[in-house]
Amino acid sequence: MSLGVDTRGGERVTGKAAEDMGSPNVYLSKSDAAYAEVRRQILSGVLAPGSRLAQYDLAESLHMSITPLREALRRLRGEGLIDLDTHRDARVAGLDAAEARQLFEIRLSLDPLAAELAADRRTDTDIAAMRGTVESLLPVTKKWGEEGLVAHRAFHQALYRASHNDALIHLLDDLWDKSDRYRRMGLHLPPGDEPRMRDFGEHRDVMELVIGGDSAGAAALMRSHIQRSLTASAIEALEVQD
């Protein structure tokens, strides 16, 4: 992440951290910039669950002092992504079956709603965006790894935006972020490629239902799609561990 000082005293954030904030050039405090970047690294798996954070090294890599980084870590603790103890030791929070299930249950309600609204409200622009993401899809398997996950998200984001409900879009984007750690865990579980290839084909089926204006069909297929997702596989594995 690169930081540049603005004449107004803020920080110009570019690159991935800026994308996470919704704009290619966003002026933030150093604490906000640290929050965005560390959160991205946790959710993407760059910082592994349970790993210790060397705070001074991390601050140096972000080109800032320790104070704004610690402010950012306190915010991330509030989101359940960081564990901080009384000695200021920081670790990335471990994966938790209860959290994964809670996120999953919310998506089971909201993703079908987004598909239903998209079928009622999609525009020609939305349809073009969905078609483009479907053409770029890759199976979410170990073979394709991160590329598959990124392409998978792009389709769901295009569908969310076709709902034309900004509050719903924001909620689903946040849920997607917080589910990413569990999704990546599911990617490495042993069920095999067959369920993932079925998942791959369902995206096009959902899109065709949305384009055809079949709101009930799109919602029903999306619900079953979520029920067989990588997060569902991760929940089962975590609950066995517990």
Side-chain angles (χ1 to χ4, degrees):
M1 181 183 67
S2 60
L3 296 173
V5 178
D6 175 46
T7 56
R8 293 172 292 179
E11 298 291 333
R12 188 177 70 247
V13 183
T14 61
K16 178 60 181 173
E19 292 173 17
D20 291 340
M21 289 295 178
S23 170
N25 285 286
V26 180
Y27 288 87
L28 303 167
S29 69
K30 287 185 177 182
S31 175
D32 288 335
Y35 164 82
E37 178 61 11
V38 177
R39 187 176 190 272
R40 182 193 69 79
Q41 291 188 27
I42 292 171
L43 296 176
S44 67
V46 173
L47 294 173
S51 60
R52 181 179 176 276
L53 297 180
Q55 294 185 50
Y56 284 96
D57 291 343
L58 186 54
E60 183 177 355
S61 73
L62 297 174
H63 309 292
M64 62 180 62
S65 69
I66 194 68
T67 299
L69 175 62
R70 284 179 172 159
E71 292 173 359
L73 295 181
R74 285 194 290 271
R75 287 177 64 185
L76 292 166
R77 178 181 60 182
E79 292 186 15
L81 293 174
I82 291 288
D83 293 327
L84 289 172
D85 65 22
T86 54
H87 301 291
R88 290 189 174 180
D89 285 340
R91 289 187 180 275
V92 177
L95 298 177
D96 180 76
E99 180 192 42
R101 182 161 290 283
Q102 289 168 12
L103 295 170
F104 176 73
E105 288 171 349
I106 299 170
R107 285 199 64 207
L108 269 178
S109 294
L110 296 188
D111 271 78
L113 174 60
E116 179 180 353
L117 292 176
D120 290 336
R121 301 174 178 177
R122 75 279 182 272
T123 65
D124 289 345
T125 300
D126 296 324
I127 290 171
M130 284 187 288
R131 288 195 187 281
T133 60
V134 163
E135 293 306 316
S136 300
L137 273 175
L138 296 167
V140 186
T141 62
K142 291 179 184 179
K143 175 182 178 180
W144 294 106
E146 189 67 23
E147 286 183 82
L149 288 171
V150 170
H152 183 214
R153 178 170 193 168
F155 169 77
H156 281 265
Q157 284 184 314
L159 184 142
Y160 297 161
R161 277 146 186 72
S163 74
H164 294 276
N165 183 315
D166 290 342
L168 179 62
I169 293 166
H170 177 77
L171 285 170
L172 282 166
D173 281 344
D174 187 55
L175 282 169
W176 192 282
D177 283 345
K178 291 178 179 177
S179 298
D180 248 359
R181 299 198 303 160
Y182 300 100
R183 196 173 286 113
R184 283 175 169 79
M185 176 186 175
L187 191 66
H188 297 284
L189 292 174
D193 289 349
E194 183 179 347
R196 304 279 63 86
M197 292 305 297
R198 180 181 60 201
D199 175 275
F200 174 68
E202 284 176 348
H203 292 90
R204 185 177 295 275
D205 295 338
V206 169
M207 179 189 71
E208 294 299 341
L209 289 167
V210 168
I211 292 172
D214 185 349
S215 56
L221 182 54
M222 180 60 78
R223 183 174 178 82
S224 64
H225 179 76
I226 300 301
Q227 287 173 326
R228 296 191 292 264
S229 66
L230 288 170
T231 303
S233 299
I235 292 169
E236 291 178 7
L238 288 167
E239 289 180 339
V240 168
Q241 292 175 15
D242 290 346

